[in-house]
Amino acid sequence: MVQRGHFLDAQSAKDDGRACDAEEDACEEVSSCSTLRQMLAALARSMPKSAYTPMESSARPDTSTLAAADFDVDVRSGFLPPEPPISRLDGPHYDVRTHAASIEPSFWEDMLAWGKAIPIRVGAQYDNAEQTKEAHVWHSAIRAMPVCMPSGAFLSDIRRARRACLVLAFLSHMYIHAQPDLGQYEQDEHKAEEIARVKRSRHGAEGKDDFVSRLPASLAVPWKLVNEQLGLPPVLTYATTVLWNWALEDPAAGMQLSNLRILETFTDTESEAHFYRISLLIELQGVEAITLMRISLNEAFARDALAYQRLASYLTELAATIKKLTRLLADMYTGCDPMTFYHEIRPWFKAGDSMWSYEHGVRRSGWLLEGAEQEWVNWTGPSAGQSTLIHALDLFLDVDHARRKRGAEYDGNSSDTSFMERMQAYMPRYHREFLRHLQYGIQVEPVSGSLRADGAVETSDHPIRSMALLSSLDNADHALVQAYDAALQALRSFRDEHMRIATRYIVKPAKAAAAEEIRGTGGTALIRFLSDCRTNTTNAMVKRHIHNAP
Ligand code: HEM
């Protein structure tokens, strides 16, 4: 069997001491495909690397070559950077009220610290007149702040670029959401008109009738530039709130579950820190899954009898790892209060796609990034649906959320088949590349068989699924099929738990608050969508299709 790609350099298979007749042919095939091979070798690399990724110093450093050589997936930390993110952009400290003309990036840090100290609140719900006044001064200072263009040298230090992305994201969401009368959330047209009228009268001096959805150039321009560098749109993302938002309690103790602390929150509540921390712990535990996926794909390259046995054992381990992820997910309840999540934390995440405003009497959604975008932008707020880890598990196990495969099994009533693909636009560039590679870079010779209960022929060029299909044809040994399906079952159970969480943290509080429409941060009709994701997981199981399954 000739593979069009594989996940390990051929030497490792040889080092296994396994004889494989097809190996040399396959090696030739692979060596002719050197670019792909380099990418695969980078993925399989076992040497730790530095999170500092020096790049050419220029106004817009080109990171494309790095993307090809390195998917920014670390053997110790997975999709998290292996070294703690920096917690402050250096440079002199400013008294933000008197030195508003400064243009050092550290000035953003001072603005963030000031905003948090007030503290800036969603909808300008302050406790007293003094706070209200100070918040107004903060707000005006942001608008008056000069545009600071980060230098090429600054952008080329990836840790500083990530921190800048985080600070600008928090500042931008604070700026937008902390304005008074955020009734623009209401999609009731009459209310929105009334609110717009009140806003006009209040912000007459600003001269902007939809001031609320306009991000000033002082934030919009550098934010867009920094995020372009990282391959992200200018909006708060999972990468910002989770992947790059942590520190080690004790630097000497290293990256352990109990040693991680969240750097920035909007609400300064334990619930918000816990909400981010759970995802962080899942990412860290996910390193185990990434390793198992990688070594499994090596077996998909070898494809001898031992490979089938080993793959079965790795998939069994993967199922156990996914169960650990589910247990971590269920820990959400131990530190994140559903009401605090729904009423205090979630509103900060709203972005252009779910905010409405009026300009010159025209109602529209979106944010206007002054000086950075000509058009109103409708980006979506952060969702753990942007976790590359979960997408990788889906791709590895051939879960098809786009519903292009196995089409006959679907009723054609899916709520949102494009959500998962759309979420990839919100991942850091290298992680997106990683998924693209996992999806398109490693196909094998298609395997066909009449395995389905309805007799339809299924053809698969998926490296793992095709082996499970082949193994299912052999009635003597269904160990691989069982292990493959067990991993899918574990992923389904993860999604069961996730649905319970979404119900407890969004659906119930929304019903209690008599919300007219219940949608996820990503804008989905959430219960229908999450239930579809579960169905897609189950539909990938092989056993369901075998005539004589044991
Ligand atoms: C309070 C906690 C959470 C709530 C309320 C929640 C809610 C939601 C909602 C409503 C969606 C639908 C998409 C949207 O419109 O935003 C979603 C998607 C998703 N969430 Fe969460 N989520 C939570 C925590 C997590 C965590 C910790 C993870 C794991 C890292 C996670 C992983 C996902 C994934 C992978 C999706 C895409 C759909 C799927 O794969 O099933 N969520 N979440």
Side-chain angles (χ1 to χ4, degrees), residues 238 242 274-284 332 384:
Y238 179 78
V242 174
H274 190 80
F275 173 65
Y276 302 145
R277 198 183 304 114
I278 290 295
S279 293
L280 193 57
L281 300 187
I282 287 176
E283 293 293 334
L284 192 54
M332 188 65 77

Side-chain angles (χ1 to χ4, degrees), residues 86-163:
I86 53 176
S87 53
R88 191 185 152 88
L89 297 169
D90 39 27
H93 290 246
Y94 297 98
D95 177 341
V96 285
R97 275 168 273 193
T98 55
H99 291 84
S102 172
I103 51 164
E104 289 279 336
S106 58
F107 189 71
W108 301 327
E109 295 278 5
D110 295 316
M111 292 303 287
L112 182 60
W114 181 17
K116 288 174 78 176
I118 295 172
I120 290 295
R121 297 240 174 94
V122 162
Q125 305 280 319
Y126 297 107
D127 298 333
N128 52 53
E130 202 182 323
Q131 258 184 0
T132 309
K133 196 171 158 208
E134 195 175 357
H136 185 74
V137 176
W138 178 87
H139 222 247
S140 304
I142 294 261
R143 186 154 270 277
M145 204 164 70
V147 176
C148 163
M149 296 293 281
S151 66
F154 178 90
L155 289 172
S156 65
D157 178 341
I158 198 159
R159 292 175 87 212
R160 288 169 88 204
R162 284 173 183 156
R163 175 68 192 175

Side-chain angles (χ1 to χ4, degrees), residues 10-87:
Q11 190 58 44
S12 315
K14 283 182 184 157
D15 290 347
D16 266 358
R18 272 184 281 165
C20 173
D21 291 344
E23 186 180 309
E24 279 190 34
D25 292 347
C27 292
E28 264 183 47
E29 174 79 15
V30 167
S31 61
S32 69
C33 186
S34 62
T35 310
L36 180 62
R37 193 162 182 275
Q38 277 171 8
M39 293 167 80
L40 296 169
L43 198 61
R45 190 197 45 214
S46 58
M47 290 301 292
K49 68 176 172 57
S50 166
Y52 287 100
T53 324
M55 291 178 260
E56 296 270 332
S57 180
S58 69
R60 295 283 185 96
D62 175 14
T63 57
S64 57
T65 48
L66 275 171
D70 183 348
F71 295 110
D72 209 8
V73 184
D74 190 272
V75 281
R76 296 160 299 168
S77 57
F79 297 106
L80 301 171
E83 289 167 278
I86 53 176
S87 53

Side-chain angles (χ1 to χ4, degrees), residues 238 275 278-279 282-283 329 332 336 341 346 382-387 390-391 394 401 419-420 494-495 498 501-502 505-506 519-524 526 529-530 533-534:
Y238 179 78
F275 173 65
I278 290 295
S279 293
I282 287 176
E283 293 293 334
L329 185 64
M332 188 65 77
C336 182
F341 175 80
R346 211 167 165 257
S383 159
Q386 297 163 5
S387 161
I390 310 294
H391 284 244
D394 280 333
H401 293 297
F419 180 83
M420 295 302 264
F494 179 90
R495 293 200 152 105
H498 181 255
I501 287 181
Y505 284 80
I506 300 179
R519 291 208 161 253
T521 321
T524 62
L526 64 102
F529 167 72
L530 295 177
C533 288
R534 271 192 336 191

Side-chain angles (χ1 to χ4, degrees), residues 257-421:
L257 298 188
S258 57
N259 195 33
L260 295 168
R261 166 172 75 80
I262 295 299
L263 286 172
E264 307 295 345
T265 60
F266 289 101
T267 57
D268 197 24
T269 57
E270 172 52 25
S271 283
E272 188 180 350
H274 190 80
F275 173 65
Y276 302 145
R277 198 183 304 114
I278 290 295
S279 293
L280 193 57
L281 300 187
I282 287 176
E283 293 293 334
L284 192 54
Q285 186 71 61
V287 176
E288 222 172 85
I290 297 170
T291 306
L292 286 164
M293 288 192 267
R294 181 172 61 76
I295 57 178
S296 296
L297 286 162
N298 298 342
E299 300 306 329
F301 167 64
R303 288 211 169 211
D304 55 10
L306 188 55
Y308 278 79
Q309 280 175 27
R310 284 188 173 176
L311 183 57
S313 133
Y314 296 151
L315 287 171
T316 306
E317 279 184 57
L318 183 64
T321 300
I322 297 172
K323 282 181 194 159
K324 289 185 205 164
L325 303 186
T326 308
R327 280 197 289 277
L328 285 171
L329 185 64
D331 274 347
M332 188 65 77
Y333 305 113
T334 62
C336 182
D337 170 56
M339 288 301 164
T340 308
F341 175 80
Y342 184 80
H343 291 288
E344 293 178 38
I345 301 167
R346 211 167 165 257
W348 292 103
F349 298 160
K350 291 229 177 201
D353 69 332
S354 54
M355 292 182 65
W356 298 82
S357 58
Y358 275 80
E359 188 176 57
H360 310 306
V362 178
R363 185 171 181 260
R364 54 148 55 98
S365 69
W367 286 359
L368 189 67
L369 272 56
E370 292 177 351
E373 301 275 4
Q374 300 286 327
E375 303 292 328
W376 289 68
V377 288
N378 283 287
W379 296 110
T380 291
S383 159
Q386 297 163 5
S387 161
T388 313
L389 173 69
I390 310 294
H391 284 244
L393 283 169
D394 280 333
L395 289 176
F396 173 79
L397 292 170
D398 204 19
V399 176
D400 175 26
H401 293 297
R403 299 196 167 185
R404 295 191 189 105
K405 306 174 183 177
R406 303 185 276 281
E409 291 159 22
Y410 300 118
D411 58 9
N413 279 329
S414 167
S415 64
D416 189 347
T417 49
S418 66
F419 180 83
M420 295 302 264
E421 280 177 349

